[in-house]
Amino acid sequence: MSAEKKDFSPNEITETALRALNLTFLAHEKLGALGEALVEKNQFGDTALRMDIEAEKAVITALERAGVPIVIHSEEHGIVKLGNNPQYLGVLDGLDGSDEYKRFRGKGRYGTMLGIFSNTDPLYGDYIFQGIMEHASKKLFYATKNQGAFMKDSQGIHPIQTSGLSNLDYNSKVYFTEADFDRFGADKSPVVTALQGIPFTRIGSTASHYADLVSGKVDLLIEPTRKGNLEFGAACGLVFEAKGVVSTLDGVDLRQQRFLEFGQKENFTVISAATPELLAEVLKRTRKSE
């Protein structure tokens, strides 16, 4: 076990986080069908799979061995404190897209999400590292603040960015998680108004939603806050570094919101768009419902 170290450079945090996410992929491959076993209910009342638990253990162990003094907010393990005086905040979702995993393990869209912030009460804009390990595709999407966004696969490391789309029309590619709005009681009516005449869909997980947004495969993603906002805490920096924007329905940049406060008790709409221009058009359309 490494001794606790107080200060890590952004590159050291990135190296440790990438190592941790790679370990979750190894756990995915090693577990195989055993990862589908039901283990226990988590803090949100959902029954966790063994893969959920083991992926989070892999990340927590990697951060602990590196001596990172961090308090981690995770879906399955709750709040985990590493070190005597945590300097960083981590956000961890061991297996985002559990239903997809159960149905299409090894082929579907699901992944492990990890975000690390520079202090223990951060604004969303205080991210250091954000990453998504999409297990079936063997692709790792990640970003370090002010260094851009990247995708790592068997061919190497590739810079990525959003589609750059600025106008919303019938050909726009949109992910709208309507079912999540219904499930968590968020008001979807402004979004339905904004997307009138625009086709939309969703896939297996928020992890893959964001992977597609930051790599330019989809232009717009609209989801509600829920369950501690772990997904937003692990993906917002990816969007910013890929030249995209993330905003509330009121047009407030998510970077100005505090992770431990925004949407933790209430359900709000979060809009992630390829460009500021596209976001502005969507916000204009939502206001027509008022």
Side-chain angles (χ1 to χ4, degrees):
M1 205 73 66
S2 297
E4 180 180 332
K5 177 182 174 183
K6 289 187 177 181
D7 297 314
F8 286 75
S9 70
N11 286 339
E12 287 176 319
I13 289 289
T14 295
E15 289 173 6
T16 301
L18 289 176
R19 184 162 57 249
L21 286 172
N22 280 320
L23 288 173
T24 70
F25 172 73
L26 294 178
H28 174 273
E29 298 298 286
K30 182 178 180 180
L31 283 170
L34 295 177
E36 300 176 40
L38 299 177
V39 180
E40 59 189 23
K41 286 190 178 295
N42 63 22
Q43 59 181 315
F44 303 111
D46 300 324
T47 302
L49 304 178
R50 187 175 176 188
M51 177 58 194
D52 286 288
I53 301 295
E54 294 301 323
E56 290 192 1
K57 281 183 179 178
V59 172
I60 293 168
T61 299
L63 292 172
E64 185 176 24
R65 287 178 174 171
V68 180
I70 187 170
V71 55
I72 304 168
H73 290 244
S74 70
E75 182 158 2
E76 313 305 339
H77 290 77
I79 297 177
V80 178
K81 178 182 174 182
L82 301 181
N84 296 320
N85 183 28
Q87 305 294 310
Y88 306 96
L89 185 139
V91 180
L92 173 62
D93 188 347
L95 182 63
D96 185 79
S98 297
D99 289 340
E100 183 82 353
Y101 173 81
K102 288 186 289 186
R103 289 194 299 264
F104 307 111
R105 179 181 52 81
K107 297 180 181 179
R109 306 291 304 277
Y110 53 84
T112 299
M113 307 181 74
L114 174 63
I116 298 178
F117 293 86
S118 62
N119 61 81
T120 57
D121 185 21
L123 299 170
Y124 277 90
D126 292 332
Y127 63 91
I128 299 174
F129 171 90
Q130 309 263 273
I132 297 169
M133 180 69 237
E134 194 177 58
H135 298 291
S137 69
K138 303 179 182 179
K139 293 179 179 178
L140 203 170
F141 302 83
Y142 70 95
T144 305
K145 191 169 186 176
N146 299 325
Q147 294 186 27
F150 302 88
M151 186 272 287
K152 181 179 180 181
D153 61 11
S154 61
Q155 304 301 312
I157 298 174
H158 319 276
I160 55 174
Q161 62 182 46
T162 67
S163 67
L165 188 76
S166 57
N167 296 305
L168 188 65
D169 59 31
Y170 187 82
N171 294 315
S172 302
K173 297 178 181 178
V174 180
Y175 287 153
F176 171 36
T177 57
E178 190 171 14
D180 284 342
F181 276 81
D182 293 335
R183 178 184 177 189
F184 297 106
D187 182 12
K188 66 181 180 182
S189 57
V191 180
V192 172
T193 298
L195 297 181
Q196 188 171 3
I198 308 296
F200 59 83
T201 187
R202 70 182 303 276
I203 51 177
S205 71
T206 294
S208 296
H209 285 168
Y210 276 103
D212 284 354
L213 178 67
V214 300
S215 57
K217 294 180 180 179
V218 69
D219 309 304
L220 181 68
L221 169 57
I222 306 177
E223 297 195 334
T225 58
R226 74 272 188 192
K227 297 198 299 184
N229 295 335
L230 301 177
E231 296 92 342
F232 299 128
C236 66
L238 258 171
V239 179
F240 301 137
E241 295 298 322
K243 311 302 182 185
V245 290
V246 188
S247 166
T248 69
L249 197 62
D250 296 326
V252 178
D253 191 318
L254 194 66
R255 284 172 285 195
Q256 300 174 21
Q257 302 284 0
R258 290 204 174 276
F259 172 75
L260 295 176
E261 298 175 5
F262 173 71
Q264 293 291 337
K265 296 182 179 179
E266 299 176 90
N267 296 113
F268 298 112
T269 298
V270 175
I271 303 171
S272 302
T275 62
E277 294 80 9
L278 182 59
L279 172 65
E281 181 174 348
V282 174
L283 292 177
K284 181 179 179 180
R285 284 171 173 252
T286 64
R287 292 174 185 133
K288 291 182 180 179
S289 64
E290 298 177 353

